[in-house]
Amino acid sequence: MSTLHQSDIIPFKADSSLNSPSAHTVKEHSSLRGFINLKKIVIKVGTRVLTKDGCLEESQIKNISDQIKWLVKKGIKVILVSSGAIGAGMGILGFKKKRDLLPFQQGLAAVGQNELMNKYSRFLRPNLTAQILLTREDLNQRQRYLNVHSSISTLWQWNVVPIINENDSVSTEEIKFGDNDQLAALVANLISADLLLILSDVDGLYSFNGKVVPTVEKVTPAIEKMAFKEKGSLTQGGMASKIQAAKIATESGIPTVIASGREKRIIEKIINGEEKGTLFLPCQKRLKARKRWIGFSSLPRGSVIIDEGAKEALIKKGKSLLSSGIIEVNGKFKIGDVVRILDEDKKELGRGLINYSSEEVRKIKGLKSNQIEEKLGYKDYEEVIHRDNLYCRAGEESE
Ligand code: GLU
């Protein structure tokens, strides 16, 4: 197993007197950016980077593979999230136009994934590659999520490069990630990556004046508006979905770069601090692993609306959620489900693992903790959501 040696550490060009917003890698001034101590990276490559005229473009797969080899040589652990299965399938089967019918896409993905992996395993040699196909449910269920984590850890120990895609052949509309940008962000979250790199066919996020925005400090509604919602014939995501992925990663404390995957040595340039693409800065320190799962990977079942006092206790004081602060319960959930926590304006404040079912919370809402037993006939927990099982959007906790 290769390790990161001092001599391999990539120079950090920033002025060290300035504190980086996230302790791990990145400096806030785009002109000074660079990544030091980069240990784990998730690289997402889009279909448009990998295909031309409806077929897989070998020179591009080689280009990406060569750069991954460069990273691996430096002892950096890489996960590649690669699209292109459906695009490859179309080329192999000679279809010119994509149809939205699900079975059609499932079939294309099944044919194309094989071809895609063949090419990666050829161009990534002497590194070994491994295929992991995920559905949304694999990251939603805690046990399956941990299984994916341990499988990746094992592959890394063997110096194998995991290549991930959505399991399109079995995914249906309701359970789809939607696009690989989101999948890549959740994988970055899962393995606590130091950097999420989204390689696309555009140079970064364009502002309204047609220039690439070098740095985004926070994904605000104004930033979201910059995304034009174009849809190509082969791909799912556009800039909007890339920004959403950057939002997931940066809210978990992981810096994200969107850049052109067609530019030669783009990965090396970004890591060495050249001003390439758009850098999204992490909003906060790295969240604890469990909180990252609660906040982003698990799919919430229902919601509770809380009052101003409880909101302040949660956000400002880092307290648990008690029954007394709950005003309303929406949906149906059971003990251990993740629920959304909303304020009185229905704004999402965070998410948490709940200690009581929706029927129970409906009965105990507004009551003090010492009244729970009287109402239910038992009291298994003081808190409805314990602070350790709570992810707050404005949270500041670190790993
Ligand atoms: N999983 C799809 C594929 O391999 C790509 C999804 C996307 O474009 O985001 O073709």
Side-chain angles (χ1 to χ4, degrees):
M1 181 185 155
S2 61
T3 48
L4 192 72
H5 298 293
Q6 196 60 35
S7 56
D8 285 330
I9 290 175
I10 298 139
F12 185 48
K13 297 186 176 166
D15 172 356
S16 57
S17 65
L18 295 163
N19 288 325
S20 64
S22 113
H24 44 289
T25 45
V26 70
K27 194 39 233 79
E28 60 239 76
H29 292 277
S30 57
S31 56
L32 297 171
R33 63 188 170 179
F35 293 86
I36 50 161
N37 290 335
L38 182 69
K39 293 194 179 80
K40 291 182 270 180
I41 183 172
V42 172
I43 302 167
K44 186 263 167 174
V45 186
T47 301
R48 293 186 204 186
V49 176
L50 300 171
T51 55
K52 197 177 172 188
D53 303 329
C55 288
L56 279 181
E57 205 180 335
E58 282 208 348
S59 60
Q60 265 305 99
I61 295 185
K62 181 173 183 313
N63 174 26
I64 301 295
S65 301
D66 286 347
Q67 297 183 73
I68 292 174
K69 286 196 224 175
W70 177 83
L71 289 167
V72 173
K73 245 191 185 155
K74 292 199 163 296
I76 295 167
K77 295 184 177 0
V78 183
I79 289 187
L80 175 63
V81 175
S82 179
S83 301
I86 294 173
M90 289 191 59
I92 294 165
L93 293 165
F95 295 133
K96 291 276 170 271
K97 243 179 104 194
K98 187 177 155 191
R99 283 194 283 153
D100 280 338
L101 278 176
L102 191 62
F104 185 78
Q105 290 188 36
Q106 288 172 325
L108 288 177
V111 173
Q113 181 66 25
N114 201 25
E115 178 80 351
L116 190 62
M117 282 307 294
N118 272 335
K119 296 212 187 298
Y120 277 124
S121 59
R122 175 146 62 92
F123 289 115
L124 276 164
R125 256 176 232 149
N127 296 286
L128 294 174
T129 51
Q131 168 183 276
I132 302 181
L133 298 178
L134 297 176
T135 62
R136 186 68 188 82
E137 206 47 26
D138 295 322
L139 300 187
N140 174 35
Q141 284 186 27
R142 181 88 183 140
Q143 195 51 51
R144 280 158 79 165
Y145 182 81
L146 296 175
N147 285 341
V148 178
H149 187 278
S150 57
S151 155
I152 291 170
S153 304
T154 306
L155 293 169
W156 272 345
Q157 273 173 25
W158 294 339
N159 260 333
V160 174
V161 179
I163 302 179
I164 296 180
N165 196 356
E166 176 157 12
N167 195 347
D168 294 303
S169 315
V170 300
S171 290
T172 57
E173 275 323 318
E174 306 82 62
I175 56 158
K176 261 179 133 13
F177 285 99
D179 57 72
N180 274 0
D181 300 314
Q182 198 192 131
L183 167 61
L186 294 177
V187 169
N189 214 326
L190 168 78
I191 55 111
S192 190
D194 299 308
L195 176 63
L196 168 63
L197 179 53
I198 299 178
L199 295 178
S200 174
D201 61 341
V202 291
D203 291 330
L205 171 66
Y206 284 92
S207 66
F208 295 113
N209 67 14
K211 290 207 174 98
V212 171
V213 180
T215 312
V216 172
E217 279 184 27
K218 193 170 192 302
V219 178
T220 57
I223 294 290
E224 288 174 301
K225 272 200 197 128
M226 286 181 190
F228 43 96
K229 268 201 161 167
E230 94 289 24
K231 283 214 166 178
S233 62
L234 300 177
T235 64
Q236 294 291 331
M239 189 47 77
S241 82
K242 288 174 187 38
I243 292 178
Q244 288 318 305
K247 196 169 173 187
I248 292 175
T250 55
E251 283 187 10
S252 310
I254 301 170
T256 302
V257 176
I258 299 175
S260 167
R262 292 199 162 264
E263 185 169 331
K264 293 269 174 252
R265 293 177 30 254
I266 184 72
I267 300 176
E268 188 182 333
K269 291 176 191 168
I270 289 167
I271 288 168
N272 283 342
E274 280 184 41
E275 191 174 298
K276 292 282 173 191
T278 303
L279 167 65
F280 293 75
L281 297 171
C283 306
Q284 57 184 349
K285 283 186 240 155
R286 197 89 56 90
L287 285 173
K288 286 180 183 155
R290 185 175 171 77
K291 297 206 174 195
R292 291 201 302 268
W293 176 75
I294 293 171
F296 302 98
S297 292
S298 68
L299 294 166
R301 293 282 165 199
S303 61
V304 289
I305 299 179
I306 65 170
D307 64 22
E308 278 303 305
K311 177 176 172 179
E312 180 153 340
L314 254 58
I315 307 262
K316 299 232 170 86
K317 301 186 185 137
K319 295 262 168 73
S320 299
L321 178 64
L322 304 178
S323 46
S324 55
I326 299 175
I327 306 172
E328 205 181 304
V329 181
N330 296 311
K332 199 170 155 58
F333 46 82
K334 50 187 193 334
I335 300 168
D337 280 345
V338 171
V339 299
R340 297 164 71 225
I341 302 165
L342 312 176
D343 68 9
E344 291 177 63
D345 298 327
K346 307 266 167 75
K347 188 176 151 237
E348 187 172 318
L349 303 171
R351 295 175 182 191
L353 273 181
I354 201 131
N355 285 337
Y356 291 94
S357 70
S358 45
E359 289 83 41
E360 290 167 324
V361 183
R362 279 193 179 95
K363 287 183 192 155
I364 61 174
K365 69 179 162 58
L367 299 184
K368 293 208 161 36
S369 299
N370 60 17
Q371 296 174 297
I372 294 179
E373 185 159 8
E374 195 185 319
K375 187 76 187 177
L376 298 180
Y378 52 86
K379 180 169 77 172
D380 291 337
Y381 300 91
E382 265 318 294
E383 314 82 9
V384 173
I385 298 176
H386 191 276
R387 52 183 291 177
D388 291 347
N389 293 328
L390 185 70
Y391 158 75
C392 279
R393 294 233 170 271
E396 279 293 312
E397 286 166 286
S398 58
E399 202 166 29

